[in-house]
Amino acid sequence: MTSTLLRCCAVIFLTHLFLIGTIGKEFPTLDHIRTKVDDATQQQTVEDMIFRTVGDRFSDFSVVVDSSFLPMGKEAFQLDTVGSKIVIRGTTGVAAAHGFNHYLKYYARCQVSWTVQQVHLPGVLPPVTPAVTIVTVNRYRYYQNVCTVSYSFVWWDWSRWERHLDWMALSGINLPLAFNGQEAIWQKVYLSLGFTQKDLDEHFGGPAFLAWARMGNIRGWGGPLPQSWHQNQLELQHKILARMRNFGMIPVLPGFAGHVPAAITRLYPNASVSRLQWGRFEDPYCCTYLLDPQDPLFSHIGGMFITEMIKEFNGTNHIYNADTFNEMRPQSSDPNYLSKAGAAVYAGMLAGDPQAIWLMQGWLFVNDRDFWQPAQTKALLQSVPQGKMIVLDLFGEVQPVYNTTDSFYGQPFIWCMLHNFGGNLGLYGTVKTVNQGPFLAQKYLGSTMVGTGLTPEGIDQNYVMYELMNEVAWMPQPFQILDNWASDYAWSRYGVKNSNASLGWQILLKSVYDCENGFKDHCDSVVVHRPDLHKTQRSWYKQEDVFTAWDHFVSASNDLGLIDSFRYDLVDVTRQALQEWAYIYYQDLMETYKSGDLNRFRDAAEIFQQTLSDMDKILATHQNFLLGRWIEDAKSLATNDQERSLYEFNARNQITLWGPNGEIVDYANKQWSGLVADYYAERWSLMTKALTTALMEGKKFNHTAFKQDVFQQVEQPFTLSNKAYPYYPTGDTLQVAKELHQKYRPRTS
């Protein structure tokens, strides 16, 4: 066994001494927030998952789910070898699944991740001797941001959801959001209240923008939602909830946050409403309507929704998410108003479920600290009885809130790693904080921490950070030597030991994955943002470290080239290296423009454009970096040509303009083949042509005119296009990566 596993096992025998005690405050009010499914059903669900993961080799494993095998209600798993079988015992299905995953990673040297996996089991499974028992002090391991469903899950069918639910169980996640299909429930509720279908068509957002319509940020943009969408999502939600529950998970359902259709003023002229503004959106898509917390309609509508949802989905686990003021300022900073607003949200939940617990994202306290001063924050948090609300400390790894609010003024909280915004692909992480932050939060004086969480806006990026966070959630203390963990990660991810792969990951964890200066992961590469003359690329690492890691990955390709997880990583590291080169060449481009030397400028422009072309070429070699997959998956959910057109527009607009006029342009940028070539590169081509004209005519570059030109000639036409892109990769990853390494690497000297 490696040092990481030995360190895990070293604490095993202290389990009953060290872990059975609770580090933070106990909350009996949360005791009913647990699985309701019997052990036998959970056990069968885990067995089925193991079969989907390893096929016929599932017979080498024996699973036992026994909720009583550990005292005091703690969640744990145990690994042992009995005869020729690996025996996995768990207090829940989730615990057993995570135990299976622990065996895969640290004994069989396999890894299952979001979209790529390596599960080549050895012919004879390594025994577990002595038996290993691991207990987590974290009651909850939460998963999802309210935006994830739109940035990543929006076009998924059941087969994709099933794989992801398996990954969630393997990762030990027991408290996931379950948001699909809620518009179908809202449609029933609102139609029964007298709203028309037209009212709802103007209220619900399009498929790719539902997250923000649900939070009251926008209304109607990207819609209207077809009835076939409601039916499809409702059917999916039934399957998702059944599988979550059968694994022993505790699904978090949506609640009513107070946002209502605009027609509320027509149907209920005496209703007290205010309007909320988000971003740069204008009517008819902005300024959503919010019911006053003291209006009797508030709890009435909230109760109707919860009641209808419980009826539709055959019960509830009594925990609901609602975010009333996400990135929007309340109409009043009066603590009394904020207290009433919070109480109204909770009253709406209680009206449908007397055992309701409110789960709230704590992002508002990070996003607008000027407004949410101690008095305002305390008023909202204490508007609900203590222990009846769980707060997600959403950005815990960069901007934690628990340590500035006396542990959320007594409400239980979950320490979360947000990490990603918009599903961007740049390499980024805060490994030291993720490794240590949850333990610091547990030890905070008067801590009310009840779990850890993953809250990325988008997934399918920076896999290493999520593997680390999921392991930390089950650890009694931080990993002491992250270099050792990095080597273990490479070994499990690729299935074999490889010194170059190990060194490559160690270098990355000490550079791009070791951001300590508060930067967010919001890829600010010159490649993906609308061109201008004053681009800067924030950096917390040395570019040479990226290039050196690239060296090691290219060298490792001679031995690991047939492994899909390695090919994915080789594409990603090569992409990052070319991103660095793009910024270097951008600086050359700007210097030659300022010098006024037209010939040198043209040469620099050609080199810069070639870098974008080379990036598109390497991205095209792996299925997980293709624009075509995003668009075709969107179209696959349509039942007619009109829906196909609507879904494709949603897919294209979200990752580019994000709004009718670029209200949040490039926020959800993606470095995908097809998008780089036909969108990012085309914008830069138009920019260099405009700069060339300015140099030739001796005029100053008109940036205002350029913004209008690039919108009209590149950006908007791209969102309206129906050009088809490859669904399958083209070119050989190893060959292209080696060619580009040979082409670019010598230039660093």
Side-chain angles (χ1 to χ4, degrees):
M1 292 186 292
T2 65
S3 58
T4 301
L5 183 56
L6 286 170
R7 185 167 57 257
C8 287
C9 293
V11 302
I12 302 299
F13 303 104
L14 298 176
T15 292
H16 294 280
L17 295 175
F18 179 73
L19 290 176
I20 292 300
T22 301
I23 290 180
K25 181 179 178 179
E26 285 282 10
F27 287 95
T29 52
L30 302 178
D31 286 348
H32 65 297
I33 305 300
R34 61 180 186 272
T35 180
K36 298 180 179 180
V37 176
D38 62 86
D39 292 354
T41 300
Q42 295 181 59
Q43 181 173 309
Q44 182 62 56
T45 306
V46 175
E47 290 172 349
D48 293 343
M49 178 274 293
I50 292 176
F51 179 76
R52 287 191 295 273
T53 305
V54 299
D56 291 342
R57 296 296 299 276
F58 84 100
S59 60
D60 293 340
F61 299 89
S62 175
V63 177
V64 177
V65 173
D66 180 0
S67 54
S68 64
F69 104 81
L70 194 70
M72 298 181 67
K74 298 297 178 182
E75 205 160 356
F77 66 83
Q78 182 182 80
L79 301 177
D80 197 2
T81 299
V82 179
S84 61
K85 287 183 180 287
I86 304 300
V87 178
I88 305 160
R89 183 186 295 268
T91 51
T92 63
V94 168
H98 190 60
F100 172 64
N101 195 33
H102 185 86
Y103 180 84
L104 287 181
K105 288 197 285 189
Y106 286 108
Y107 290 85
R109 293 299 165 181
C110 299
Q111 187 191 88
V112 178
S113 56
W114 285 318
T115 54
V116 292
Q117 62 183 40
Q118 183 280 116
V119 286
H120 300 293
L121 292 174
V124 177
L125 293 181
V128 181
T129 344
V132 170
T133 302
I134 294 181
V135 186
T136 177
V137 297
N138 292 300
R139 179 188 291 206
Y140 304 119
R141 282 88 55 205
Y142 173 81
Y143 176 52
Q144 289 181 46
N145 188 296
V146 292
C147 301
T148 322
V149 67
S150 291
Y151 282 135
S152 296
F153 305 162
V154 55
W155 312 122
W156 286 5
D157 58 12
W158 170 242
S159 65
R160 184 68 182 85
W161 262 109
E162 184 172 49
R163 293 197 304 274
H164 197 66
L165 290 164
D166 286 350
W167 171 84
M168 288 162 58
L170 289 164
S171 301
I173 291 161
N174 70 346
L175 189 68
L177 280 187
F179 265 27
N180 289 63
Q182 62 178 280
E183 282 70 30
I185 307 298
W186 277 118
Q187 182 170 263
K188 290 182 182 180
V189 170
Y190 282 135
L191 290 177
S192 72
L193 287 169
F195 290 87
T196 67
Q197 191 60 52
K198 182 175 182 294
D199 296 334
L200 303 187
D201 289 345
E202 294 172 352
H203 178 65
F204 296 139
F209 304 97
L210 283 176
W212 301 276
R214 291 165 178 169
M215 291 185 287
N217 300 128
I218 56 175
R219 57 194 179 102
W221 173 244
L225 284 178
Q227 290 304 309
S228 63
W229 175 269
H230 293 310
Q231 185 61 35
N232 172 275
Q233 294 300 301
L234 201 59
E235 291 174 1
L236 261 182
Q237 179 74 335
H238 275 281
K239 293 178 180 179
I240 291 166
L241 282 176
R243 185 61 54 83
M244 284 180 173
R245 289 168 175 167
N246 288 345
F247 267 128
M249 296 177 189
I250 307 159
V252 179
L253 295 173
F256 177 55
H259 312 112
V260 289
I264 189 79
T265 56
R266 183 190 77 241
L267 289 170
Y268 299 91
N270 295 324
S272 178
V273 296
S274 58
R275 301 190 71 180
L276 299 170
Q277 173 73 46
W278 184 67
R280 297 192 298 273
F281 277 85
E282 298 178 353
D283 268 333
Y285 306 117
C286 85
C287 310
T288 52
Y289 288 74
L290 178 69
L291 268 175
D292 187 273
Q294 292 188 289
D295 194 299
L297 274 175
F298 203 115
S299 61
H300 179 61
I301 293 175
M304 287 183 68
F305 176 70
I306 296 290
T307 301
E308 185 64 38
M309 186 168 53
I310 292 174
K311 176 184 174 183
E312 176 69 34
F313 298 130
N314 304 313
T316 178
N317 289 83
H318 308 295
I319 183 164
Y320 308 93
N321 166 260
D323 296 295
T324 303
F325 302 117
N326 178 68
E327 298 183 354
M328 299 178 293
R329 282 197 170 185
Q331 66 171 353
S332 171
S333 61
D334 182 352
N336 185 51
Y337 169 80
L338 297 172
S339 180
K340 290 177 180 176
V345 172
Y346 188 55
M349 294 176 182
L350 291 177
D353 179 1
Q355 293 182 282
I357 297 293
W358 177 9
L359 182 137
M360 182 181 73
Q361 291 196 148
W363 178 246
L364 69 172
F365 306 128
V366 176
N367 178 254
D368 192 354
R369 294 197 176 201
D370 289 341
F371 179 90
W372 293 102
Q373 294 293 308
Q376 287 71 30
T377 304
K378 182 180 288 188
L380 182 62
L381 293 175
Q382 294 188 344
S383 66
V384 176
Q386 192 173 96
K388 296 291 188 176
M389 168 193 281
I390 299 176
V391 186
L392 300 178
D393 203 349
L394 207 73
F395 203 12
E397 84 277 25
V398 175
Q399 292 179 271
V401 176
Y402 76 87
N403 55 1
T404 62
T405 57
D406 292 332
S407 201
F408 290 97
Y409 299 114
Q411 295 289 18
F413 77 93
I414 294 175
W415 190 98
C416 299
M417 180 187 83
L418 198 164
H419 179 263
N420 181 270
F421 292 86
N424 308 149
L425 299 186
L427 301 187
Y428 165 86
T430 57
V431 289
K432 289 179 183 174
T433 307
V434 168
N435 186 36
Q436 299 170 1
F439 304 101
L440 295 175
Q442 288 169 349
K443 296 175 183 177
Y444 183 77
L445 183 63
S447 177
T448 55
M449 179 176 163
V450 293
T452 59
L454 301 174
T455 53
E457 288 192 351
I459 63 168
D460 295 334
Q461 40 72 33
N462 293 293
Y463 290 68
V464 66
M465 293 303 304
Y466 299 87
E467 289 293 321
L468 176 62
M469 185 65 229
N470 284 332
E471 291 194 32
V472 164
W474 286 77
M475 291 291 290
Q477 59 190 21
F479 289 101
Q480 299 302 307
I481 304 174
L482 283 172
D483 269 0
N484 293 344
W485 185 87
S487 295
D488 281 336
Y489 174 82
W491 189 0
S492 298
R493 188 158 173 81
Y494 310 135
V496 294
K497 274 189 173 182
N498 183 280
S499 59
N500 276 302
S502 179
L503 286 169
W505 277 111
Q506 288 177 10
I507 292 168
L508 291 176
L509 256 67
K510 293 177 180 176
S511 55
V512 290
Y513 288 115
D514 190 22
C515 180
E516 294 186 304
N517 56 10
F519 285 161
K520 299 177 181 179
D521 175 25
H522 204 290
C523 181
D524 60 355
S525 167
V526 296
V527 174
V528 296
H529 285 281
R530 184 182 276 169
D532 67 39
L533 299 177
H534 306 289
K535 287 290 179 189
T536 58
Q537 185 167 299
R538 298 171 296 177
S539 183
W540 57 93
Y541 56 91
K542 297 177 181 177
Q543 287 180 325
E544 180 58 27
D545 287 337
V546 173
F547 299 142
T548 302
W550 191 23
D551 295 340
H552 287 295
F553 276 89
V554 171
S555 296
S557 67
N558 296 322
D559 301 316
L560 306 178
L562 297 179
I563 301 167
D564 188 46
S565 52
F566 175 78
R567 295 170 82 95
Y568 174 97
D569 292 340
L570 181 59
V571 171
D572 205 20
V573 173
T574 302
R575 176 207 55 74
Q576 185 72 26
L578 293 179
Q579 177 180 302
E580 306 300 336
W581 273 109
Y583 185 59
I584 293 171
Y585 291 141
Y586 166 78
Q587 292 174 304
D588 291 345
L589 189 68
M590 293 301 100
E591 287 178 9
T592 56
Y593 170 71
K594 292 173 184 176
S595 74
D597 190 323
L598 181 60
N599 291 329
R600 286 182 58 219
F601 175 79
R602 283 174 168 163
D603 291 342
E606 182 178 352
I607 294 172
F608 180 81
Q609 291 290 150
Q610 183 59 52
T611 306
L612 301 187
S613 177
D614 287 338
M615 179 181 284
D616 196 85
K617 185 177 181 181
I618 186 64
L619 294 170
T621 67
H622 198 280
Q623 65 269 20
N624 293 116
F625 295 92
L626 302 179
L627 171 64
R629 294 226 157 195
W630 175 252
I631 292 177
E632 293 304 317
D633 286 350
K635 291 159 62 177
S636 71
L637 298 184
T639 62
N640 56 49
D641 289 343
Q642 184 178 1
E643 290 177 8
R644 268 185 286 278
S645 178
L646 176 68
Y647 296 171
E648 179 168 5
F649 173 77
N650 269 253
R652 287 171 175 266
N653 185 272
Q654 187 209 82
I655 59 176
T656 54
L657 286 174
W658 214 122
N661 299 298
E663 281 76 1
I664 319 178
V665 63
D666 298 324
Y667 181 89
N669 65 76
K670 305 289 189 298
Q671 292 177 38
W672 286 340
S673 176
L675 191 60
V676 172
D678 284 1
Y679 186 75
Y680 301 132
E682 286 299 311
R683 292 198 302 192
W684 277 106
S685 178
L686 188 66
M687 173 73 162
T688 55
K689 288 176 183 176
L691 292 175
T692 299
T693 300
L695 287 174
M696 292 176 65
E697 297 179 355
K699 296 180 180 179
K700 186 178 180 180
F701 172 67
N702 188 331
H703 188 261
T704 301
F706 172 75
K707 284 176 63 177
Q708 184 175 359
D709 289 344
V710 77
F711 175 80
Q712 294 176 345
Q713 297 180 39
V714 179
E715 295 169 342
Q716 189 178 56
F718 178 86
T719 67
L720 300 174
S721 173
N722 60 3
K723 176 182 176 179
Y725 291 91
Y727 194 80
Y728 298 100
T730 56
D732 180 74
T733 297
L734 305 186
Q735 180 182 344
V736 174
K738 288 178 179 179
E739 288 175 357
L740 295 178
H741 185 264
Q742 189 173 23
K743 176 179 179 180
Y744 285 89
R745 189 57 169 119
R747 302 180 187 181
T748 57
S749 60

